[in-house]
Amino acid sequence: MDERQLRILRELGELGSVTAVAEALLVTPSAISQQLRLLQRSIPVPLTERHGRRLVLTDAGQALAGAAVEVETALARARHTVQDFVDRPDGGVSVAAFHSAGAAFFPLLLRALTGPGHPVLALADEDVAQDDFPRLTREYDLVLAHRLDHAPPWPRAVSATTLLREPLDVALPADHPLAAQHRLTPDDVADEPWITVHDGFPVMATIDAIAAAAGRRLRLAHRINEFAVAAEAVAAGGGLALMPRWTSRPHPALVLRPIDGVQARRHIDALHRPERTARKAVRTVLTELRSAARTIQDRDTDGEVTSPRGAGL
């Protein structure tokens, strides 16, 4: 049995005929009769009986029709509860991010969404390989993920909103001979030691592209996922590293230089399961993430990479 069949039974008890029920529900009498037959198949005792030309409820039918009132009332209450949850502006919203996105976006979110009437944020850091970001959408309402510009799109099971298309620049000590150049090429950096991420993380593909463009393998001296730690290693002379241009924190001993000849840019995307944005609170946070992305990008208004920087992944 289902809600529609129970309603038909209830209406039959109140209106007294199939024709009257059909008119009330704006369907044909044959459709009403079919639903009553389907309902009867699931009940071991007769629900209706003939009184002349009229179809009336038996005692069992009247009992079930009475229960139908309770069922409709409970369902209506459940719908109102769900609607209140969906429309609630200050509901809880969980957001996960890889480290450099969390460092850049989380403070802006917290400042913008503080106080009554705003979503209640639950923030978490998740340092995972690129292929593992979609599965995090099972646990969190929104997931900040990164992938390289030319990488395959995210699977169709998740929705993606691109927040930033962020250049990746070469980080080097401010007193390094290459720091005097405004732009670098793969040949300039191919013979330097490198500090890079572990396999499976997006930046690694750009390292491979630099090696391919230079025609020789790079020497990967250190594997460090955390950009803040990598920045310290670069400053100490451990090698060069790729760093994000906009989501990085300044480091007094480093400069960033763009590299020509390779696609060195990553997407920062907000991933979510499509049903999550049915909630007003989640849509509010997603809107604020877009605003935060504009703020982050606008910090570098001159388009040049001249200031010393470094940051966490």
Side-chain angles (χ1 to χ4, degrees), residues 211-225:
R216 53 197 183 276
R217 184 175 298 177
L218 303 186
R219 179 159 65 92
L220 307 182
H222 310 287
R223 297 282 190 139
I224 301 172
N225 267 15

Side-chain angles (χ1 to χ4, degrees), residues 182-238:
H182 291 296
R183 307 186 70 86
L184 302 173
T185 68
D187 282 332
D188 292 331
V189 299
D191 296 324
E192 299 284 335
W194 278 84
I195 303 161
T196 189
V197 297
H198 295 274
D199 290 335
F201 289 79
V203 175
M204 194 60 214
T206 302
I207 294 292
D208 292 339
I210 292 172
R216 53 197 183 276
R217 184 175 298 177
L218 303 186
R219 179 159 65 92
L220 307 182
H222 310 287
R223 297 282 190 139
I224 301 172
N225 267 15
E226 180 84 39
F227 280 146
V229 179
E232 296 298 336
V234 173

Side-chain angles (χ1 to χ4, degrees), residues 35 46 51 59 66-67 78 82 94 112 115 139 166 173 178 181 207 233 248 256 270 297 299 308:
Q35 290 302 313
H51 276 191
D59 289 343
V82 170
S94 57
E139 304 172 44
E166 182 178 31
L178 292 175
Q181 299 181 204
I207 294 292
S248 62
L256 298 186
Q297 187 169 350
R299 288 171 180 166

Side-chain angles (χ1 to χ4, degrees), residues 30-67:
S30 61
I32 295 297
S33 297
Q34 181 184 24
Q35 290 302 313
L36 287 172
R37 286 195 297 270
L38 291 173
L39 176 60
Q40 183 62 74
R41 290 176 188 172
S42 65
I43 305 297
V45 294
L47 298 174
T48 61
E49 59 186 6
R50 287 283 178 184
H51 276 191
R53 293 186 175 182
R54 297 180 63 228
L55 188 67
V56 299
L57 301 186
T58 64
D59 289 343
Q62 290 174 3
L64 187 57

